[in-house]
């Protein structure tokens, strides 16, 4: 695949940016555990976090190819930063595609400017990323409130997250639920993934986390679509781009 002239300019621009802003923190980030706040915010300030999102919500309107260029060039200098970006875009892309207008306006600007740090809580301790075998369960009361209970594994940003995208089974199928804060989120085990120690990774327990109907992302009972729109589509491509960059 040949890149357009505009895409080649983007590659050169990101490469120059990464060398100037990421190179000095590489060794410290690789040793971890330390979230790369300064570099992360520099990426946000440059507007790179907004690929695949419309300008209306703070995005830059680029596509998948531009996003792959971004991650490849960031990872070429510091894969830790590229990984942190990939986690955020996983959540932002799902909200951008499936969120209500109110959800988009509430969450996307903060994700783009770095003030909101998300966690993508998909992988289940028992069922992995297979939503049909997920042990985490969301039960709904008659007043429209939800209670989420269950364990997740290999979830990034848990120590920092102020927005969670939680996937859970329900009586109607599977749900994707947005949750703010950390109440009733228990960090049970900290992993030390080789090469990505600066992006916190944990096994966690949702001990009756509460949400409302307006926190549902996408249609009720069809959380699998949110998973496909985020983790199982774009982040897989993003992961491959990071590896190529390394």
């Amino acid at each position: 695949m040949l890149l357009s002239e505009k895409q080649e300019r983007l590659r050169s621009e990101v490469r120059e940016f990464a060398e100037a802003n990421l190179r000095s923190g590489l060794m410290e980030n690789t040793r971890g555990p330390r979230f790369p706040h300064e570099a992360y915010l520099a990426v946000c300030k440059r507007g790179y976090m907004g690929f695949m999102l419309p300008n209306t919500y703070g995005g830059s309107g680029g596509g998948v190819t531009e996003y792959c260029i971004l991650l490849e060039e960031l990872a070429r200098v510091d894969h830790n930063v590229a990984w942190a970006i990939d986690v955020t875009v996983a959540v932002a892309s799902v909200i951008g595609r499936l969120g209500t207008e109110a959800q988009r306006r509430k969450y996307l600007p903060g994700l783009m400017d770095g003030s909101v740090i998300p966690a993508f809580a998909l992988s289940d301790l028992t069922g992995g990323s297979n939503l049909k075998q997920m042990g985490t369960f969301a039960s709904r009361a008659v007043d429209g409130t939800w209670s989420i209970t269950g364990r997740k594994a290999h979830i990034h940003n848990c120590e920092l997250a102020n927005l969670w995208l939680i996937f859970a089974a329900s009586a109607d199928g599977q749900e994707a639920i947005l949750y703010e804060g950390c109440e009733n989120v228990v960090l049970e085990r900290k992993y030390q993934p080789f090469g990505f120690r600066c992006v916190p990774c944990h096994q966690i327990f949702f001990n009756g986390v509460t949400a409302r109907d307006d926190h549902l992302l996408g249609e009720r009972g069809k959380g699998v679509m949110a998973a496909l729109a985020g983790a199982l589509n774009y982040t897989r491509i993003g992961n491959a781009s990071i590896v190529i960059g390394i």
Side-chain angles (χ1 to χ4, degrees):
M1 173 181 168
L2 296 177
L3 298 179
S4 68
E5 183 178 335
K6 183 177 180 180
Q7 289 168 338
E8 288 289 2
R9 287 199 303 270
L10 174 64
R11 180 184 293 280
S12 298
E13 176 189 315
V14 176
R15 180 170 296 189
E16 181 179 349
F17 166 84
E19 289 288 353
N21 292 273
L22 309 188
R23 178 69 68 184
S24 62
L26 171 61
M27 293 309 297
E28 185 175 359
N29 289 340
T30 301
R31 294 188 187 101
R34 168 189 172 274
F35 187 81
H37 281 287
E38 293 182 4
Y40 183 89
L41 291 175
V43 173
C44 293
K45 185 176 181 179
R46 192 66 175 254
Y48 291 149
M49 196 72 81
F51 285 127
M52 301 190 297
L53 291 175
N55 297 329
T56 308
Y57 308 105
S60 56
V64 175
T65 301
E66 287 75 16
Y67 180 55
C68 291
I69 291 171
L70 170 69
L71 290 184
E72 184 178 333
E73 291 302 322
L74 293 179
R76 176 180 170 272
V77 177
D78 189 344
H79 58 282
N80 302 283
V81 177
W83 185 259
I85 300 302
D86 199 26
V87 173
T88 295
V89 172
V91 175
S93 64
V94 179
I95 296 175
R97 283 175 168 263
L98 299 180
T100 64
E101 183 66 17
Q103 289 170 337
R104 291 171 182 165
R105 292 193 177 279
K106 181 177 183 179
Y107 298 117
L108 291 181
L111 289 167
M112 296 305 98
D113 66 23
S115 60
V116 174
I117 303 291
F120 198 106
L122 174 63
S123 297
D124 205 74
L125 186 62
T126 56
S129 57
N130 185 343
L131 271 71
K132 293 184 178 180
Q133 296 183 7
M134 197 157 282
T136 300
F137 193 82
S139 57
R140 183 181 184 274
V142 293
D143 63 355
T145 59
W146 294 78
S147 178
I148 307 166
T149 302
R151 285 183 168 84
K152 298 287 186 178
H154 301 285
I155 308 303
H156 292 277
N157 291 342
C158 298
E159 296 175 351
L160 309 164
N162 47 17
L163 176 65
W164 300 75
L165 175 51
I166 304 172
F167 294 87
S170 74
D172 300 307
Q174 305 88 29
E175 309 298 340
I177 301 175
L178 294 167
Y179 173 68
E180 296 179 66
C182 58
E183 186 175 356
N184 295 333
V185 179
V186 182
L187 307 186
E188 293 189 323
R189 174 187 174 191
K190 186 168 186 176
Y191 303 107
Q192 292 289 338
F194 181 76
F196 294 98
R197 291 176 181 167
C198 77
V199 182
C201 184
H202 287 78
Q203 174 182 305
I204 59 176
F205 176 52
F206 293 124
N207 187 21
V209 164
T210 58
R212 303 187 307 272
D213 277 343
D214 60 349
H215 292 156
L216 289 181
L217 193 55
E219 293 185 50
R220 180 173 160 184
K222 296 184 178 180
V224 66
M225 294 305 298
L228 291 172
L232 304 182
N233 281 352
Y234 292 123
T235 59
R236 297 300 185 257
I237 298 172
N239 292 350
S241 298
I242 292 172
V243 172
I244 292 171
I246 294 173

